[in-house]
Amino acid sequence: MSVKGLVESNSLSSIPSKYVCPPIPEDSVCYESDIVIPTIDFSKLTSCDPRERSEATQLLGDSCRDWGFFFLINHGVSEAMMDEVFRGCESFFNLTEEEKKEFEGRSLMDPIRCGTSFNPDVEKSLFWRDYLKLLVHPRFHAPSKPPGLSEIIEEYCKKSRQVTEELLKGVSRSLGVEENYIHEKMNVRLGTQVFVVNYYPPCPSPELAKGLPEHTDHGLLTLLIQNDLDGLQVHHDGKWVPVCPPPNSFMINTGDHMEILTNGKYKSVVHRAMVNNRATRISVGTAHGPSLDTVVNPSSELITEAHPPAYRGITYKDYLLLQQSNPLHAKSCLDRIRI
Ligand SMILES: O=C(O)CCC(=O)C(=O)O
Ligand SMILES: [Fe+2]
C-alpha cells in the first residue's frame, strides 16, 4: 500500500513498525546548521565576460570537489513552471489507487513506474515515501493521466536538460579539459534523464521514519526542487547538514558517475530525506547520466601514477540495475565497482 493510502485510511497516531528505521548511534551528534552551502550563479557561469565565467567555473569545480552539492540561482527556469510541475505531480498522486495501479510497472527498467519506499522487495524497513519515476530522455515517457501532466513534465525536463548541459560544460572546464569533453565522452546528446517525484505525506513520528535513507544518486548530476518544505540533508565533513535552499533555486548534487569519470576527484554526495508531521513534502529530481550503453570508466586525463584507476568500467544500464535491485544504502553500489 502507498504511504498516502495508509495516512488517509487511518487516523494514525503512531507509525506501523515496518516503517521504523533503526537509529544510527553516531547520527544524533552531528547536525550542523551554520555551515554555508555554496551557491553558483548560472548567469555568471554562462556569461560572455571571461573573468566572471572563469570565477564561476572555479567555484563550480570547488563545490563539486569539496561538497558534491550546491545551489544554482539565476538559471532561467521560472518559479511559475516549477509550481506547475508540483501541482501536476500532486494531481498524479491524487488519482485513485486503482488508477495509479496502471502505472506501477513490472520490471526495474520499465520507463514509467510508481510505487512506495525504494525497493520494498529487498528492504528491512520501509521508507515514508511514495514515488513516480519516469525515463524521459532520449525517449520521453509519462503517464497518460491526469490530463496535461505529460506536457508539463516534458517542458520542465527539456529546461532542466538545457541547464545540465551548460553545467556539464562548466564541469569539464573546471577539470582543465575542453568544454565538450564530458558531452562527448558520456554521449550526453543521447544521455539518460530520469524524472523522479518523491511524495512524503505527513508522518506522525517523523523522528522514527525516513523519507529516503542515506544514499548517493546514479548519474552525473541531479537537479532537485521542493515544494517549500525542507527535509534534505547532505553529508559533509562527517556531519549532516540540513539543506534550506534559496528561493527559486535548484539543489544540485554530483552523482556516482561523476565520481567514476573524475576518478574520485569529484565525489558523489551522500544525502537523505527526512520527513515531517506538518504537511506533504514533494521533491522533484531529474537525474542526468550518460546513454544507457556507455561504459563509464575513470577518465584517462585524471589517471596518474599517484591516482591509478579507482573504479571498474561498467555500462550505465548495468549500474542502474545494480542500484535498483539492492537496498539503497550510502555508497554501497559504488563500493561494488571500486578497485
Ligand atoms: O527528497 C529529497 O530531498 C531527496 C530526494 C533524493 O535524494 C532522490 O530522489 O534521490
Ligand atoms: Fe538522491
Side-chain angles (χ1 to χ4, degrees), residues 137-179:
H137 196 263
R139 253 194 80 195
F140 180 76
H141 303 268
S144 50
K145 290 180 204 162
L149 176 63
S150 169
E151 288 76 9
I152 295 168
I153 295 180
E154 188 163 18
E155 185 64 25
Y156 174 74
C157 287
K158 200 169 129 198
K159 292 262 189 224
S160 67
R161 217 162 44 242
Q162 285 165 354
V163 170
T164 304
E165 287 182 6
E166 284 300 326
L167 282 174
L168 289 175
K169 287 184 187 171
V171 172
S172 289
R173 293 197 305 270
S174 80
L175 289 166
V177 291
E178 198 271 315
E179 77 169 9

Short mmCIF file of all heavy atoms in Angstrom, two decimals, residues 137-179:
data_model
loop_
_atom_site.label_atom_id
_atom_site.label_comp_id
_atom_site.label_asym_id
_atom_site.label_seq_id
_atom_site.Cartn_x
_atom_site.Cartn_y
_atom_site.Cartn_z
N HIS A 137 14.39 10.75 -21.27
CA HIS A 137 15.31 11.01 -22.38
C HIS A 137 16.24 9.82 -22.53
O HIS A 137 16.61 9.22 -21.54
CB HIS A 137 16.14 12.29 -22.09
CG HIS A 137 16.82 12.84 -23.31
ND1 HIS A 137 18.13 12.55 -23.61
CD2 HIS A 137 16.36 13.63 -24.31
CE1 HIS A 137 18.45 13.16 -24.74
NE2 HIS A 137 17.40 13.82 -25.19
N PRO A 138 16.63 9.43 -23.75
CA PRO A 138 16.37 10.06 -25.04
C PRO A 138 14.93 9.92 -25.53
O PRO A 138 14.53 10.68 -26.41
CB PRO A 138 17.33 9.35 -26.00
CG PRO A 138 17.78 8.11 -25.32
CD PRO A 138 17.56 8.28 -23.87
N ARG A 139 14.16 8.97 -24.99
CA ARG A 139 12.73 8.94 -25.36
C ARG A 139 11.92 9.38 -24.18
O ARG A 139 12.21 8.98 -23.04
CB ARG A 139 12.33 7.52 -25.78
CG ARG A 139 12.14 7.41 -27.27
CD ARG A 139 11.42 6.13 -27.64
NE ARG A 139 9.99 6.22 -27.44
CZ ARG A 139 9.19 5.16 -27.41
NH1 ARG A 139 9.68 3.95 -27.57
NH2 ARG A 139 7.89 5.31 -27.24
N PHE A 140 10.90 10.16 -24.45
CA PHE A 140 10.09 10.68 -23.36
C PHE A 140 8.95 9.74 -23.01
O PHE A 140 8.24 9.25 -23.89
CB PHE A 140 9.54 12.06 -23.76
CG PHE A 140 8.68 12.67 -22.69
CD1 PHE A 140 9.27 13.25 -21.56
CD2 PHE A 140 7.29 12.64 -22.78
CE1 PHE A 140 8.48 13.79 -20.56
CE2 PHE A 140 6.50 13.18 -21.78
CZ PHE A 140 7.10 13.76 -20.67
N HIS A 141 8.79 9.48 -21.73
CA HIS A 141 7.67 8.65 -21.25
C HIS A 141 7.00 9.37 -20.09
O HIS A 141 7.68 9.92 -19.22
CB HIS A 141 8.17 7.30 -20.74
CG HIS A 141 8.94 6.52 -21.74
ND1 HIS A 141 8.36 5.60 -22.59
CD2 HIS A 141 10.26 6.52 -22.05
CE1 HIS A 141 9.28 5.07 -23.37
NE2 HIS A 141 10.44 5.61 -23.06
N ALA A 142 5.68 9.34 -20.05
CA ALA A 142 4.96 9.92 -18.91
C ALA A 142 3.59 9.26 -18.84
O ALA A 142 3.07 8.77 -19.85
CB ALA A 142 4.82 11.43 -19.09
N PRO A 143 2.98 9.24 -17.66
CA PRO A 143 1.65 8.65 -17.55
C PRO A 143 0.63 9.46 -18.35
O PRO A 143 0.77 10.68 -18.48
CB PRO A 143 1.34 8.70 -16.05
CG PRO A 143 2.38 9.55 -15.42
CD PRO A 143 3.50 9.73 -16.38
N SER A 144 -0.38 8.76 -18.85
CA SER A 144 -1.39 9.44 -19.66
C SER A 144 -2.41 10.18 -18.78
O SER A 144 -3.22 10.95 -19.28
CB SER A 144 -2.12 8.39 -20.51
OG SER A 144 -2.55 7.33 -19.65
N LYS A 145 -2.36 9.95 -17.47
CA LYS A 145 -3.27 10.63 -16.54
C LYS A 145 -2.47 11.31 -15.45
O LYS A 145 -1.41 10.79 -15.10
CB LYS A 145 -4.18 9.58 -15.85
CG LYS A 145 -5.19 8.93 -16.71
CD LYS A 145 -5.95 7.94 -15.83
CE LYS A 145 -6.57 6.84 -16.68
NZ LYS A 145 -6.94 5.67 -15.95
N PRO A 146 -2.96 12.38 -14.86
CA PRO A 146 -4.12 13.16 -15.25
C PRO A 146 -3.82 13.98 -16.51
O PRO A 146 -2.65 14.19 -16.83
CB PRO A 146 -4.35 14.06 -14.03
CG PRO A 146 -3.03 14.15 -13.36
CD PRO A 146 -2.31 12.88 -13.65
N PRO A 147 -4.87 14.45 -17.20
CA PRO A 147 -4.66 15.17 -18.46
C PRO A 147 -3.77 16.39 -18.25
O PRO A 147 -3.88 17.07 -17.24
CB PRO A 147 -6.08 15.61 -18.86
CG PRO A 147 -7.03 14.96 -17.91
CD PRO A 147 -6.27 14.33 -16.81
N GLY A 148 -2.85 16.59 -19.19
CA GLY A 148 -1.99 17.78 -19.13
C GLY A 148 -0.67 17.54 -18.41
O GLY A 148 0.30 18.28 -18.61
N LEU A 149 -0.58 16.51 -17.58
CA LEU A 149 0.64 16.30 -16.79
C LEU A 149 1.85 16.03 -17.68
O LEU A 149 2.94 16.58 -17.48
CB LEU A 149 0.44 15.13 -15.80
CG LEU A 149 1.67 14.75 -14.98
CD1 LEU A 149 2.10 15.91 -14.08
CD2 LEU A 149 1.40 13.51 -14.12
N SER A 150 1.64 15.18 -18.68
CA SER A 150 2.74 14.79 -19.54
C SER A 150 3.40 16.02 -20.20
O SER A 150 4.63 16.13 -20.24
CB SER A 150 2.16 13.83 -20.59
OG SER A 150 3.06 13.61 -21.59
N GLU A 151 2.58 16.96 -20.66
CA GLU A 151 3.12 18.16 -21.34
C GLU A 151 3.94 19.01 -20.37
O GLU A 151 5.01 19.52 -20.71
CB GLU A 151 1.97 19.02 -21.91
CG GLU A 151 1.27 18.43 -23.12
CD GLU A 151 0.30 17.29 -22.79
OE1 GLU A 151 0.04 17.06 -21.58
OE2 GLU A 151 -0.18 16.63 -23.73
N ILE A 152 3.43 19.14 -19.13
CA ILE A 152 4.16 19.95 -18.13
C ILE A 152 5.52 19.33 -17.84
O ILE A 152 6.55 20.00 -17.82
CB ILE A 152 3.34 20.03 -16.81
CG1 ILE A 152 2.03 20.77 -17.03
CG2 ILE A 152 4.14 20.70 -15.70
CD1 ILE A 152 1.05 20.65 -15.87
N ILE A 153 5.51 18.01 -17.65
CA ILE A 153 6.77 17.33 -17.32
C ILE A 153 7.75 17.43 -18.49
O ILE A 153 8.94 17.68 -18.30
CB ILE A 153 6.50 15.84 -16.95
CG1 ILE A 153 5.66 15.75 -15.67
CG2 ILE A 153 7.81 15.09 -16.77
CD1 ILE A 153 5.35 14.33 -15.22
N GLU A 154 7.23 17.27 -19.69
CA GLU A 154 8.12 17.29 -20.86
C GLU A 154 8.83 18.65 -20.99
O GLU A 154 10.03 18.73 -21.22
CB GLU A 154 7.34 16.96 -22.14
CG GLU A 154 8.26 16.78 -23.32
CD GLU A 154 7.61 16.06 -24.50
OE1 GLU A 154 6.36 16.01 -24.55
OE2 GLU A 154 8.37 15.57 -25.36
N GLU A 155 8.04 19.70 -20.79
CA GLU A 155 8.59 21.05 -20.89
C GLU A 155 9.65 21.28 -19.81
O GLU A 155 10.73 21.81 -20.06
CB GLU A 155 7.41 22.04 -20.73
CG GLU A 155 7.72 23.50 -20.91
CD GLU A 155 8.17 23.84 -22.32
OE1 GLU A 155 7.81 23.11 -23.26
OE2 GLU A 155 8.90 24.85 -22.45
N TYR A 156 9.33 20.85 -18.59
CA TYR A 156 10.26 21.03 -17.48
C TYR A 156 11.56 20.23 -17.71
O TYR A 156 12.66 20.72 -17.45
CB TYR A 156 9.59 20.62 -16.16
CG TYR A 156 10.56 20.67 -15.00
CD1 TYR A 156 10.96 21.89 -14.45
CD2 TYR A 156 11.09 19.50 -14.45
CE1 TYR A 156 11.87 21.94 -13.41
CE2 TYR A 156 12.00 19.54 -13.41
CZ TYR A 156 12.39 20.77 -12.90
OH TYR A 156 13.29 20.81 -11.86
N CYS A 157 11.40 19.02 -18.19
CA CYS A 157 12.58 18.16 -18.41
C CYS A 157 13.50 18.74 -19.46
O CYS A 157 14.72 18.65 -19.36
CB CYS A 157 12.16 16.75 -18.80
SG CYS A 157 11.47 15.85 -17.40
N LYS A 158 12.89 19.37 -20.48
CA LYS A 158 13.69 19.98 -21.53
C LYS A 158 14.53 21.12 -20.96
O LYS A 158 15.72 21.24 -21.22
CB LYS A 158 12.73 20.51 -22.61
CG LYS A 158 13.38 20.73 -23.94
CD LYS A 158 12.34 20.98 -25.01
CE LYS A 158 12.72 22.24 -25.76
NZ LYS A 158 11.62 22.81 -26.50
N LYS A 159 13.89 21.93 -20.11
CA LYS A 159 14.60 23.05 -19.49
C LYS A 159 15.71 22.55 -18.58
O LYS A 159 16.82 23.09 -18.59
CB LYS A 159 13.62 23.90 -18.64
CG LYS A 159 12.61 24.63 -19.45
CD LYS A 159 13.06 26.06 -19.66
CE LYS A 159 11.95 26.86 -20.28
NZ LYS A 159 12.31 27.72 -21.35
N SER A 160 15.41 21.54 -17.78
CA SER A 160 16.44 21.09 -16.83
C SER A 160 17.60 20.43 -17.58
O SER A 160 18.74 20.47 -17.13
CB SER A 160 15.86 20.18 -15.74
OG SER A 160 15.42 18.99 -16.28
N ARG A 161 17.30 19.88 -18.76
CA ARG A 161 18.38 19.30 -19.56
C ARG A 161 19.29 20.42 -20.11
O ARG A 161 20.50 20.29 -20.12
CB ARG A 161 17.78 18.49 -20.70
CG ARG A 161 18.57 17.25 -20.98
CD ARG A 161 17.84 16.21 -21.76
NE ARG A 161 17.08 16.71 -22.88
CZ ARG A 161 15.77 16.61 -22.99
NH1 ARG A 161 15.06 16.01 -22.05
NH2 ARG A 161 15.13 17.10 -24.04
N GLN A 162 18.66 21.51 -20.53
CA GLN A 162 19.47 22.63 -21.04
C GLN A 162 20.41 23.17 -19.95
O GLN A 162 21.59 23.43 -20.19
CB GLN A 162 18.57 23.77 -21.54
CG GLN A 162 17.93 23.44 -22.88
CD GLN A 162 16.76 24.37 -23.22
OE1 GLN A 162 16.34 25.20 -22.40
NE2 GLN A 162 16.23 24.23 -24.42
N VAL A 163 19.86 23.30 -18.75
CA VAL A 163 20.68 23.79 -17.63
C VAL A 163 21.82 22.80 -17.36
O VAL A 163 22.99 23.18 -17.21
CB VAL A 163 19.81 23.98 -16.36
CG1 VAL A 163 20.67 24.26 -15.14
CG2 VAL A 163 18.79 25.10 -16.57
N THR A 164 21.49 21.51 -17.36
CA THR A 164 22.50 20.49 -17.06
C THR A 164 23.60 20.48 -18.12
O THR A 164 24.78 20.32 -17.81
CB THR A 164 21.84 19.09 -17.00
OG1 THR A 164 20.80 19.16 -16.03
CG2 THR A 164 22.83 18.03 -16.59
N GLU A 165 23.20 20.66 -19.38
CA GLU A 165 24.20 20.63 -20.45
C GLU A 165 25.23 21.75 -20.26
O GLU A 165 26.43 21.55 -20.45
CB GLU A 165 23.52 20.69 -21.81
CG GLU A 165 22.85 19.36 -22.10
CD GLU A 165 22.18 19.26 -23.46
OE1 GLU A 165 22.31 20.20 -24.27
OE2 GLU A 165 21.52 18.24 -23.70
N GLU A 166 24.75 22.92 -19.85
CA GLU A 166 25.67 24.03 -19.58
C GLU A 166 26.54 23.71 -18.37
O GLU A 166 27.74 24.00 -18.34
CB GLU A 166 24.90 25.34 -19.34
CG GLU A 166 24.35 25.98 -20.60
CD GLU A 166 25.44 26.33 -21.61
OE1 GLU A 166 26.57 26.70 -21.21
OE2 GLU A 166 25.17 26.24 -22.83
N LEU A 167 25.92 23.14 -17.33
CA LEU A 167 26.69 22.80 -16.12
C LEU A 167 27.80 21.81 -16.44
O LEU A 167 28.92 21.93 -15.95
CB LEU A 167 25.77 22.20 -15.05
CG LEU A 167 24.90 23.18 -14.26
CD1 LEU A 167 23.95 22.41 -13.35
CD2 LEU A 167 25.76 24.13 -13.43
N LEU A 168 27.48 20.84 -17.31
CA LEU A 168 28.49 19.82 -17.63
C LEU A 168 29.65 20.44 -18.42
O LEU A 168 30.79 20.01 -18.28
CB LEU A 168 27.86 18.65 -18.40
CG LEU A 168 26.95 17.75 -17.55
CD1 LEU A 168 26.27 16.70 -18.42
CD2 LEU A 168 27.72 17.08 -16.41
N LYS A 169 29.34 21.47 -19.21
CA LYS A 169 30.44 22.18 -19.89
C LYS A 169 31.31 22.87 -18.85
O LYS A 169 32.54 22.84 -18.93
CB LYS A 169 29.88 23.24 -20.86
CG LYS A 169 29.27 22.64 -22.11
CD LYS A 169 28.84 23.74 -23.06
CE LYS A 169 28.07 23.19 -24.23
NZ LYS A 169 27.45 24.21 -25.05
N GLY A 170 30.64 23.48 -17.87
CA GLY A 170 31.38 24.15 -16.78
C GLY A 170 32.23 23.15 -16.01
O GLY A 170 33.38 23.43 -15.66
N VAL A 171 31.68 21.96 -15.76
CA VAL A 171 32.44 20.94 -15.02
C VAL A 171 33.67 20.54 -15.83
O VAL A 171 34.78 20.44 -15.30
CB VAL A 171 31.56 19.71 -14.69
CG1 VAL A 171 32.40 18.60 -14.09
CG2 VAL A 171 30.43 20.08 -13.74
N SER A 172 33.49 20.34 -17.15
CA SER A 172 34.64 19.99 -17.99
C SER A 172 35.71 21.08 -17.89
O SER A 172 36.89 20.79 -17.68
CB SER A 172 34.22 19.84 -19.46
OG SER A 172 33.45 18.68 -19.63
N ARG A 173 35.29 22.34 -18.04
CA ARG A 173 36.28 23.43 -17.95
C ARG A 173 36.98 23.42 -16.61
O ARG A 173 38.19 23.61 -16.51
CB ARG A 173 35.58 24.80 -18.15
CG ARG A 173 35.03 25.03 -19.54
CD ARG A 173 34.75 26.53 -19.78
NE ARG A 173 33.89 27.15 -18.78
CZ ARG A 173 32.55 27.23 -18.86
NH1 ARG A 173 31.91 26.70 -19.88
NH2 ARG A 173 31.85 27.82 -17.92
N SER A 174 36.22 23.15 -15.55
CA SER A 174 36.82 23.18 -14.21
C SER A 174 37.85 22.07 -14.05
O SER A 174 38.73 22.15 -13.20
CB SER A 174 35.73 23.06 -13.14
OG SER A 174 35.33 21.70 -12.99
N LEU A 175 37.74 21.03 -14.86
CA LEU A 175 38.71 19.92 -14.78
C LEU A 175 39.93 20.19 -15.65
O LEU A 175 40.85 19.39 -15.73
CB LEU A 175 38.05 18.61 -15.25
CG LEU A 175 36.99 18.01 -14.32
CD1 LEU A 175 36.18 16.94 -15.05
CD2 LEU A 175 37.64 17.42 -13.07
N GLY A 176 39.89 21.31 -16.38
CA GLY A 176 41.03 21.68 -17.23
C GLY A 176 41.01 20.97 -18.57
O GLY A 176 42.03 20.89 -19.25
N VAL A 177 39.84 20.45 -18.97
CA VAL A 177 39.74 19.84 -20.30
C VAL A 177 38.78 20.66 -21.15
O VAL A 177 38.10 21.55 -20.64
CB VAL A 177 39.28 18.35 -20.22
CG1 VAL A 177 40.35 17.48 -19.59
CG2 VAL A 177 37.96 18.21 -19.47
N GLU A 178 38.74 20.35 -22.41
CA GLU A 178 37.90 21.09 -23.36
C GLU A 178 36.42 21.01 -22.93
O GLU A 178 36.00 20.00 -22.38
CB GLU A 178 38.14 20.43 -24.73
CG GLU A 178 37.73 21.24 -25.92
CD GLU A 178 36.30 20.95 -26.28
OE1 GLU A 178 35.92 19.76 -26.30
OE2 GLU A 178 35.57 21.93 -26.54
N GLU A 179 35.64 22.09 -23.18
CA GLU A 179 34.32 22.15 -22.54
C GLU A 179 33.32 21.09 -23.02
O GLU A 179 32.36 20.80 -22.31
CB GLU A 179 33.73 23.56 -22.58
CG GLU A 179 33.13 24.01 -23.87
CD GLU A 179 32.35 25.32 -23.69
OE1 GLU A 179 32.40 25.95 -22.63
OE2 GLU A 179 31.69 25.70 -24.67
#
